Amino acid sequence: MSTPADLDIRMRRAAFNAALARGDLEPIQDILAPAAILVTGTDSALLSGRKAQLLAWKREFAAADRTIYIRTPTAITLSPVEPIALEYGDWKGVPAAGNGVRATGTYTAKWRHSGQNWVIEAELYLTLA
């Protein structure tokens, strides 16, 4: 049974995915916590902070043969003692200009309820194919 928090996180993830598909930085900025970190799936590169992630996405959006990344949550675990949650799921990277899949894997994301919204504090990716 889904809770309002579970649904909120899923809706924020859907908004993040839609922003990636459109190449729109503004919604991404609103979903990332200021100190958000991301560990990439292949080379374990660390992107530390919202600004670093926005710069990386800006470069990705400008690439001639850019990849669109889609995250699909499979489970969300809410903490009973803190305003935090873990999202687990599968991701894939698809070419913006065509069909096919460039890479796939699994991920986890830590969310925190801050102010009125849930924001991403950390994401960790594993490349499987």
Side-chain angles (χ1 to χ4, degrees):
M1 180 183 203
S2 293
T3 66
D6 180 283
L7 293 173
D8 284 349
I9 290 169
R10 290 177 187 276
M11 288 175 58
R12 301 278 283 171
R13 176 55 72 193
F16 197 100
N17 283 340
L20 290 178
R22 290 190 313 271
D24 186 357
L25 289 174
E26 189 172 328
I28 294 169
Q29 176 175 306
D30 294 339
I31 295 170
L32 293 173
I37 61 169
L38 183 146
V39 180
T40 64
T42 302
D43 60 5
S44 296
L46 174 65
L47 297 174
S48 185
R50 179 193 294 150
K51 287 182 183 181
Q53 289 191 46
L54 292 174
L55 285 173
W57 286 121
K58 185 176 181 178
R59 284 190 303 272
E60 181 68 32
F61 297 160
D65 188 25
R66 83 178 184 100
T67 300
I68 296 175
Y69 295 94
I70 303 162
R71 284 82 163 201
T72 305
T74 56
I76 295 173
T77 302
L78 299 164
S79 170
V81 296
E82 295 289 336
I84 55 178
L86 275 181
E87 170 192 1
Y88 307 90
D90 300 309
W91 68 268
K92 66 181 175 180
V94 299
N99 296 326
V101 175
R102 291 191 172 143
T104 64
T106 60
Y107 73 95
T108 187
K110 181 183 177 198
W111 292 80
R112 179 173 299 277
H113 195 263
S114 177
Q116 299 292 326
N117 292 308
W118 287 91
V119 294
I120 297 170
E121 288 190 323
E123 294 180 289
L124 180 64
Y125 291 86
L126 173 67
T127 301
L128 297 173

